[in-house]
Amino acid sequence: MKRSSGRGTAPAVAAVLVVAALAVGCRPVTVTRTGAPDSKGVHLAPTTQAPPPLRSHAPPATPAERAAAPRPHRTGHPAPRAARPVMAAGARGAQVRELQARLTQLGLFDRGPTGYYAAVTATAVRAFQKQQGLPRTGNVQPALWSALRARTHQPSRADLYPATSRPVGTPDPRCLTGRVICISKRSNTLAWVVDGRIVSAMDVRFGSQYTPTREGTFAITFKSRRHVSTLYHTAMPYAMFFSGGQAVHYSADFAARGYTGASHGCVNVRDKAKVAALFDAVRKGTKVVVYH
């Protein structure tokens, strides 16, 4: 038998290489020893890449391990908290009364201390904050309280518990001689003045715009301890008449409702004990001054 020569094999290998080149196009290939040798003895590599190696996953940490793990050290400092106000709206008590009395000394609070922190007190605090160049919050912060205490004196008991809701103020000059019932529409107060000295003071209210209380200098014409109005049929205890049907007298309505109501021209007093004492001290002909 004849041996076949290698010459017939070479064209066949070349044809296979041509077909492979057409199949892969112009994509470059890498070589390994697993492919078929080309004419120069180079082996062709397979075109499919090997899958990436699998990553190993550690089991999740237990709660004990998480608690024991070191935590990163914080180098920053927490932001400082705002100072808690000493007093604010809604507060009540002796300290609020002191605050109001001190603000009165500076002319910023025009009422008698009540011990209750409401809108009028907050407005007075804002005025003082403006004077001091502080934020006008209406609340009393420690710095503001210190500044207020430094600029005022310790209030006396009379300052803390005045006889009237609003300061009586300086009496009208007509009230400074003799025995006078001195009535101020500006401060809503009545002062019993003897020789220029205020013996007692009390809150009062007046007639409405339709029945105003007359202003001027008058004298007590008559007194009636248990008087009843013949026109309005209402009780007028401790009535002291000074101008026609207008009188100073106790008013249960004023005591109950305050300044939400008004009289028919009389001067209403809400402190029954004080008006009773005044009734006993006053005589017919006592001077009455009503002014604004």
Side-chain angles (χ1 to χ4, degrees):
M1 178 181 294
K2 274 185 180 182
R3 293 183 179 177
S4 60
S5 67
R7 294 178 182 178
T9 307
V13 172
V16 171
L17 291 176
V18 171
V19 173
L22 291 176
V24 299
C26 299
R27 184 175 59 188
V29 295
T30 56
V31 295
T32 66
R33 294 185 180 183
T34 58
D38 62 4
S39 59
K40 296 181 181 181
V42 179
H43 294 76
L44 296 177
T47 58
T48 302
Q49 297 180 356
L54 294 177
R55 296 180 181 179
S56 60
H57 296 280
T62 64
E65 292 172 335
R66 288 196 297 268
R71 296 186 179 184
H73 178 67
R74 295 182 180 180
T75 58
H77 298 283
R81 295 183 179 180
R84 186 176 181 179
V86 177
M87 285 170 277
R92 62 178 68 222
Q95 192 175 39
V96 175
R97 190 176 290 272
E98 180 184 348
L99 166 69
Q100 294 166 335
R102 289 181 182 276
L103 291 170
T104 298
Q105 295 176 27
L106 300 177
L108 301 176
F109 190 75
D110 63 350
R111 311 283 177 90
T114 62
Y116 181 69
Y117 201 126
V120 175
T121 304
T123 299
V125 169
R126 289 191 192 96
F128 185 64
Q129 288 172 328
K130 181 179 179 181
Q131 291 181 358
Q132 299 301 305
L134 298 171
R136 284 175 278 176
T137 63
N139 298 333
V140 179
Q141 302 289 348
L144 182 85
W145 183 235
S146 297
L148 181 61
R149 288 169 61 91
R151 287 160 179 76
T152 55
H153 60 77
Q154 182 65 38
S156 65
R157 181 169 180 79
D159 295 331
L160 295 172
Y161 299 91
T164 57
S165 298
R166 304 182 74 170
V168 176
T170 304
D172 184 273
R174 293 169 290 177
C175 302
L176 299 180
T177 57
R179 298 159 64 88
V180 187
I181 298 176
C182 196
I183 303 169
S184 170
K185 285 186 173 181
R186 181 180 297 274
S187 62
N188 292 337
T189 59
L190 180 156
W192 173 231
V193 183
V194 178
D195 297 329
R197 182 176 65 89
I198 298 177
V199 176
S200 67
M202 55 205 79
D203 294 323
V204 293
R205 73 177 182 183
F206 305 97
S208 68
Q209 59 178 330
Y210 305 107
T211 56
T213 303
R214 290 183 281 275
E215 298 179 17
T217 302
F218 311 93
I220 297 297
T221 56
F222 75 96
K223 299 163 52 181
S224 177
R225 187 180 295 272
R226 298 177 180 84
H227 194 77
V228 176
S229 170
T230 57
L231 182 60
Y232 301 107
H233 307 288
T234 56
M236 299 169 55
Y238 305 105
M240 294 164 277
F241 290 87
F242 61 87
S243 177
Q246 295 189 354
V248 176
H249 66 86
Y250 171 74
S251 170
D253 181 76
F254 182 28
R257 299 172 54 207
Y259 291 99
T260 57
S263 73
H264 291 96
C266 288
V267 178
N268 292 164
V269 180
R270 60 180 168 187
D271 191 318
K272 195 170 186 178
K274 286 185 177 181
V275 73
L278 178 65
F279 184 89
D280 292 337
V282 166
R283 299 291 182 264
K284 183 178 179 180
T286 297
K287 185 163 65 173
V288 178
V289 176
V290 183
Y291 67 99
H292 194 281

